[in-house]
Amino acid sequence: MLPIPLLTSLLPRSAWGQTQTIKRYFSLIGSYGYGHHSHWHPSLEQPSQTYNPGNGDHSIRYQSLRSYLSGGRNQLSRVLNRDLNPFLDKMNVLRGLNLHSRIAHGRGHILGNIQATDGHDNQVVNLKALPTIDQVLASNRRFTPHVNDPLNVGNNRSYVRGADGNVSRAASRDWIKPDRLFNALFNPNGVPVPENGSSTTVQHPRRDILSAVIEDYRKVVNGRKISSTDRQILNNVMDIISDTQKSLGITQTTQGCSYSEINTDRARNDGVPNSYYYNPESHGYAYNMYAQIYAAAAACDIHRVFDFSYIMSGHFDRHPSEDFHQGHSHQPWSVVYNNIPNHQYMADIQGIFVSEFLAPLLTALDGTVEANGMTILDNSIVHYSLENSTVHSDFNKPCLLIGSAGGALTTGHHIDYTRRNLGPHPRFAGDNFSRDPNNDRFGHIYYGAHYNRSLTTILRALGLNPSDYEDPEINRFFQARTDSRLGSHNNGISRIGGYGHIGSQNAGGGWGSNNDMYNQEYSRYNYHFYKDPLPFPPRSS
């Protein structure tokens, strides 16, 4: 069905010129970590500028990402490599985001369900399971008018609330091949894709319907009682429909979006059973193809929430006797492969995925201009993160946000939330990393901001209200306190709010006593601000 377009004469004059902004969310999550903080952040020094939000929340430091490319330097870091340089003005690299519970290996914490963990903090697994933010967005009918799940390939980190009210791991298109994903999205019952990938003249089933619509529009345009403004609107729409009708006869299209240039023949014929076996070192075309398919699905508005996850072990295991986890990840300073320490090797693997999937995705999203004059990338948030930072560390959780959600966020910055005045954090820094700032293997872990505030930032920027994601049943331990057990500044908080659990209320996994958790963790943060998005640099910067 194609309705008559909205005519300006039907609107209140104050609404003229307004256009709808469609926002989208993409999560890209990799396993393991980035090896060393210097491989993710453009600098371990604090950025040069200071911003005080003025509401009692602590000040942040920030600096333009482009300012780091000087003196012959051609990339931000080993992971965030030069393939991202075209997008520096549309990105934010966030530093100092910490979880307040020991996760180590987890299946849901990056998207907000810290309950789905391996039990290093045995109190965490007893917490209430929560839907992850991708599922929150997909189930919100304002954000996702279609009733569908996130487009989820290989992501076992997404958790959904079922009809019975229980939360469980969401189903994904587990390691499906690109050609099968393509057909599942664009051709479930429609026009067949040519086996050779070339264009073909096919009579699309919608072509005759569009002819009838054009004829009806023409009758209205030729009517005597239509205004000149509305006549121009209808003429413009008729031009678009006419172009669409012509394209239906010569290319493969769906919902008015062309996808005939995505050639899936190589994936169809390469003999690889599914995407788990793809090694980006030699099969980068497959990841590029996934990126193109995701961008086409966004342009066609088939999905508005997208998940993509990859595993960096398997093909990348170069240890002669240990598996990838024990031989590379847990030995960051050992030299096993390519004459470089493992922490650099870990970063180089993550950099391959940046080049082979993330950068092509951004290029495709930034190549389509939408009705509000901004690109799909500008109207979206692409969220790139990893399971850990360094080995099993929950400090400096990697967080790269690309896109401004239609102008809701300022972009182009390295933003540092660490609070260096409190000194290094005494908690676990990762295998063979030191807590001593004077040690060459210093782990660079500091107090900062709660990682979940980045998730609240995403949800709010994409248009959700607190009532859409807050759960009043959780975090009551931190609410309405009068005993100063978490510091006097955390007394009398009437509403914690925000998204997700602050953390467990008891120690576990070798972190020490409750006094460690209360005195060295919770009392160093101000939970009056847990419900708020993270402070971002002012727009004038």
Side-chain angles (χ1 to χ4, degrees), residues 148-163:
N148 65 6
D149 297 324
L151 176 54
N152 184 345
V153 173
N155 189 347
N156 63 351
R157 296 169 171 87
S158 178
Y159 281 76
V160 63
R161 186 180 304 282

Side-chain angles (χ1 to χ4, degrees), residues 117-429:
T117 182
D118 61 358
H120 275 67
D121 183 339
N122 54 24
Q123 299 296 322
V124 169
V125 295
N126 296 321
L127 295 175
K128 179 182 179 181
L130 301 175
T132 46
I133 64 166
D134 58 323
Q135 297 291 341
V136 172
L137 289 163
S139 64
N140 186 284
R141 292 286 77 87
R142 294 196 317 279
F143 185 81
T144 309
H146 330 304
V147 181
N148 65 6
D149 297 324
L151 176 54
N152 184 345
V153 173
N155 189 347
N156 63 351
R157 296 169 171 87
S158 178
Y159 281 76
V160 63
R161 186 180 304 282
D164 58 1
N166 294 322
V167 175
S168 59
R169 189 183 301 190
S172 69
R173 301 177 185 272
D174 282 329
W175 306 113
I176 193 171
K177 288 186 65 173
D179 60 303
R180 295 173 188 167
L181 175 64
F182 179 88
N183 283 311
L185 288 174
F186 298 106
N187 300 289
N189 299 299
V191 180
V193 179
E195 287 295 318
N196 61 6
S198 61
S199 296
T200 184
T201 300
V202 179
Q203 183 73 19
H204 194 284
R206 297 192 184 102
R207 186 178 174 87
D208 290 339
I209 296 174
L210 292 184
S211 297
V213 171
I214 290 175
E215 182 60 30
D216 286 342
Y217 282 3
R218 185 174 288 114
K219 291 178 181 178
V220 176
V221 166
N222 293 331
R224 289 183 297 176
K225 296 183 179 180
I226 186 172
S227 70
S228 59
T229 301
D230 290 347
R231 179 176 284 110
Q232 183 60 51
I233 291 173
L234 279 175
N235 280 326
N236 292 340
V237 172
M238 287 171 63
D239 289 341
I240 294 171
I241 293 177
S242 179
D243 290 342
T244 301
Q245 184 195 42
K246 292 175 183 177
S247 69
L248 292 181
I250 58 174
T251 65
Q252 308 306 311
T253 65
T254 184
Q255 299 182 20
C257 303
S258 174
Y259 54 80
S260 60
E261 295 181 359
I262 303 176
N263 187 335
T264 61
D265 287 348
R266 190 171 179 184
R268 182 184 292 113
N269 301 323
D270 64 6
V272 177
N274 56 57
S275 70
Y276 180 80
Y277 292 89
Y278 281 116
N279 173 9
E281 290 180 310
S282 57
H283 292 77
Y285 77 90
Y287 289 88
N288 187 292
M289 199 177 303
Y290 285 120
Q292 301 303 322
I293 292 170
Y294 269 48
C300 294
D301 203 24
I302 298 175
H303 288 270
R304 294 191 182 178
V305 182
F306 301 80
D307 294 322
F308 192 87
S309 183
Y310 59 85
I311 296 176
M312 67 184 293
S313 53
H315 292 286
F316 296 105
D317 186 5
R318 301 293 192 269
H319 197 283
S321 58
E322 299 276 8
D323 61 19
F324 183 90
H325 181 211
Q326 298 298 331
H328 292 287
S329 179
H330 273 289
Q331 299 181 36
W333 304 96
S334 297
V335 176
V336 176
Y337 173 70
N338 208 25
N339 295 318
I340 59 174
N342 277 333
H343 67 81
Q344 290 184 7
Y345 181 49
M346 298 280 289
D348 290 343
I349 299 171
Q350 305 287 13
I352 290 173
F353 288 96
V354 167
S355 297
E356 303 293 0
F357 180 81
L358 179 57
L361 174 66
L362 300 181
T363 300
L365 296 177
D366 210 32
T368 301
V369 178
E370 301 199 278
N372 65 351
M374 304 175 78
T375 68
I376 294 178
L377 178 59
D378 296 325
N379 289 324
S380 303
I381 289 182
V382 179
H383 175 202
Y384 175 39
S385 190
L386 310 174
E387 183 180 11
N388 306 112
S389 52
T390 57
V391 186
H392 284 192
S393 178
D394 298 310
F395 289 80
N396 256 335
K397 301 299 288 187
C399 186
L400 172 65
L401 302 180
I402 311 121
S404 67
L409 300 176
T410 56
T411 56
H413 300 110
H414 182 213
I415 309 174
D416 188 351
Y417 298 95
T418 60
R419 303 173 66 188
R420 306 290 179 93
N421 61 308
L422 298 179
H425 198 293
R427 234 169 87 188
F428 180 74

